[in-house]
Amino acid sequence: MTERTENEAESGAEGGRSTGDGAAARRREQHGWYFYDFACSVYSTSVLTVFLGPYLTAVAKAAADAEGYVHPLGIPVRAGSFFAYTVSLSVILAVLVMPLAGAAADRTGRKKPLLAAAAYTGAAATTGMFFLDGHRYLLGGFLLVVANASLAVSMVLYNAFLPQISTPDERDTVSSRGWAFGYTSGAFVLVLNLVLFQGHDSFGLSEGEAVRICLASAGLWWGAFAIIPLRRLRDRAAVREAGAAPAVSGWRQLVATLKDMRRYPLTLSFLLAYLVYNDGVQTVISQASVYGSEELELEQSTLIVAVLLVQVLAVVGALAMGRLAVAYGAKRTILGSLAAWGLTLGAGYFLPARTPVWFFALAAMIGLVLGGSQALSRSLFSHLVPAGKEAEYFSAYEMSDRGLSWVGPLVFGLTYQVTGSYRDAIISLVVFFALGFALLARVPVRRAVEAAGNPVPVRV
């Protein structure tokens, strides 16, 4: 046994790549880890996907002048664009902070306190949305920026625990279960919120009050269930290369991380493939409701039910694809999911208007491939990260997930602008899955794992 392996077996240190920890202790951490997805996914589903956009836009319109403009910091902004601009601002803030948080976690080994700070900052901001009424659009924008950026930072730290709490052969299954937990909570709370929203009169609430309770409940849920991973996860001793300089800014650290990745070109190749196909995934998620309402002329209630269907089936898809990865390897399973994404968009192009049943079928197809493709991408990347740099590298990964997914919406918008057809716009996204498929297929994953200095799982 090498000195490195002996140290790992004794303490679980050396970058957290321990396979020497007791199985029971490792399972305990894994079970706690699942619950952070369970805690924060409610924010993504109920707040961002369903309630906040329309509500914040209505608040901004109520505060607008006669020409329909609001003036944050004296800048004229169309009230209908305020939500989109605020989301963009939150992404910019997250891009600045994520690399800094990741580097700090790797340098100190104290991921858990940083995760707690990010989680409870986001939960508090979300809970504060209860006070978003009247003309308080600036309050809403501020809380959205804080909550969104906090979520992104917390996910960097959360993802960085994955290679520390699972053996290489467990990682696909553990990552998939985390996503499944998240989609389960998102669906469950969305059902409760929809009951409250649709029956607000019987509860003696106005529609606005019901929405504000739904928004705040997501923050309370996030904060309450974050306690579980924070109690069960444990920090490991930091492992850094000699002479590694501390991060002094988010951007400088990101540049340093990308330069370091040049030493692991195969890891960088995977990240490029992920950036491309994930851009397509994120664009489908954000634009599917626009396609349903504008091109297929579907009612809002139909779109909400479709979102709920995606949440439920994403659980099934994440678990099923986790099992497929055990049998066939993560890379092959992801490639299969990308092919399924392309076929799904092709089917979406031919959907007839004003026919909810076919839109539900499309939502089911999206749900079945959504959770699995995301979960397995995360677990596969975890094999390609050199020891001691988990949070730093996952900050770059998370930026690919959240901070750089802007090309797809641009292609979607430009295609619609040129053709005037949302059908052409939705089919244009196939190129992201085709190109991502080609780039991923060229990555020799087993050699990439070895190059990063990590043990190679039986199937990868």
Side-chain angles (χ1 to χ4, degrees):
M1 179 181 286
T2 65
E3 180 181 353
R4 175 180 171 84
T5 306
E6 289 172 356
N7 290 339
E8 287 178 343
E10 291 173 2
S11 66
E14 293 294 340
R17 303 306 177 107
S18 171
T19 58
D21 288 340
R26 196 168 66 248
R27 295 287 186 273
R28 174 180 170 81
E29 283 197 90
Q30 290 170 4
H31 293 158
W33 186 81
Y34 299 150
F35 270 94
Y36 191 71
D37 248 326
F38 191 84
C40 70
S41 292
V42 171
Y43 170 83
S44 299
T45 303
S46 291
V47 176
L48 277 184
T49 305
V50 177
F51 290 110
L52 185 58
Y55 186 73
L56 182 56
T57 299
V59 171
K61 287 182 176 180
D65 59 22
E67 286 75 34
Y69 285 85
V70 290
H71 299 270
L73 304 178
I75 302 171
V77 174
R78 283 194 181 274
S81 300
F82 181 73
F83 175 72
Y85 290 150
T86 305
V87 172
S88 297
L89 181 60
S90 73
V91 170
I92 293 171
L93 178 60
V95 165
L96 293 172
V97 177
M98 282 191 292
L100 183 59
D106 284 334
R107 191 172 65 252
T108 64
R110 295 178 61 79
K111 294 181 180 68
K112 195 162 74 168
L114 292 169
L115 175 61
Y120 282 102
T121 299
T126 306
T127 304
M129 291 177 186
F130 178 79
F131 301 101
L132 176 56
D133 61 356
H135 294 177
R136 296 177 178 174
Y137 74 96
L138 282 176
L139 174 63
F142 171 76
L143 294 175
L144 171 57
V145 168
V146 173
N148 244 17
S150 297
L151 176 65
V153 171
S154 73
M155 291 304 293
V156 169
L157 302 163
Y158 166 70
N159 288 337
F161 274 102
L162 178 59
Q164 298 184 327
I165 63 171
S166 56
T167 64
D169 290 324
E170 292 174 336
R171 214 161 289 165
D172 293 336
T173 299
V174 171
S175 182
S176 297
R177 286 176 179 171
W179 279 105
F181 265 58
Y183 283 117
T184 299
S185 70
F188 175 71
V189 176
L190 184 57
V191 168
L192 298 180
N193 286 340
L194 290 178
V195 169
L196 176 63
F197 177 74
Q198 293 181 339
H200 60 83
D201 286 334
S202 61
F203 292 106
L205 301 171
S206 67
E207 183 175 300
E209 289 171 336
V211 170
R212 290 191 289 117
I213 290 173
C214 291
L215 294 172
S217 68
L220 294 174
W221 182 281
W222 186 356
F225 284 98
I227 294 173
I228 299 175
L230 291 174
R231 287 181 62 88
R232 293 196 173 187
L233 293 171
R234 61 184 180 87
D235 285 324
R236 274 78 170 170
V239 177
R240 299 293 291 170
E241 295 179 358
V248 295
S249 75
W251 278 109
R252 286 181 62 181
Q253 182 57 44
L254 174 62
V255 172
T257 300
L258 293 177
K259 285 183 178 179
D260 187 71
M261 279 188 180
R262 291 164 58 185
R263 299 167 53 198
Y264 308 97
L266 298 180
T267 298
L268 197 57
S269 296
F270 172 80
L271 192 62
L272 175 62
Y274 174 75
L275 187 153
V276 172
Y277 68 74
N278 183 66
D279 201 351
V281 171
Q282 298 302 320
T283 306
V284 172
I285 293 172
S286 65
Q287 301 302 321
S289 61
V290 175
Y291 182 67
S293 61
E294 298 296 326
E295 184 68 34
L296 303 183
E297 303 175 24
L298 299 175
E299 298 291 336
Q300 182 67 30
S301 59
T302 299
L303 300 178
I304 293 175
V305 173
V307 170
L308 184 58
L309 183 62
V310 168
Q311 296 294 309
V312 172
L313 291 180
V315 177
V316 178
L319 295 176
M321 289 180 64
R323 290 181 177 274
L324 288 174
V326 172
Y328 300 104
K331 177 182 173 180
R332 290 182 179 179
T333 308
I334 294 171
L335 289 173
S337 76
L338 298 181
W341 272 108
L343 292 173
T344 299
L345 292 181
Y349 179 84
F350 295 103
L351 287 187
R354 298 180 297 278
T355 311
V357 64
W358 288 111
F359 191 72
F360 291 149
L362 182 70
M365 294 170 68
I366 290 174
L368 288 173
V369 294
L370 175 62
S373 59
Q374 292 177 317
L376 294 179
S377 296
R378 176 173 65 186
S379 61
L380 181 54
F381 183 71
S382 72
H383 292 290
L384 311 181
V385 178
K389 297 187 176 183
E390 293 86 0
E392 182 181 329
Y393 272 52
F394 266 110
S395 70
Y397 178 88
E398 193 68 16
M399 286 176 64
S400 298
D401 189 8
R402 297 175 185 274
L404 301 179
S405 295
W406 56 272
V407 179
L410 179 63
V411 169
F412 186 92
L414 288 176
T415 303
Y416 176 75
Q417 182 172 329
V418 171
T419 66
S421 169
Y422 280 107
R423 293 184 186 275
D424 292 337
I426 202 74
I427 202 67
S428 70
L429 301 179
V430 171
V431 68
F432 290 92
F433 297 103
L435 181 57
F437 184 101
L439 290 172
L440 178 58
R442 292 172 58 86
V443 178
V445 174
R446 186 170 295 274
R447 189 147 52 89
V449 176
E450 294 173 344
N454 296 322
V456 181
V458 176
R459 290 185 174 85
V460 65

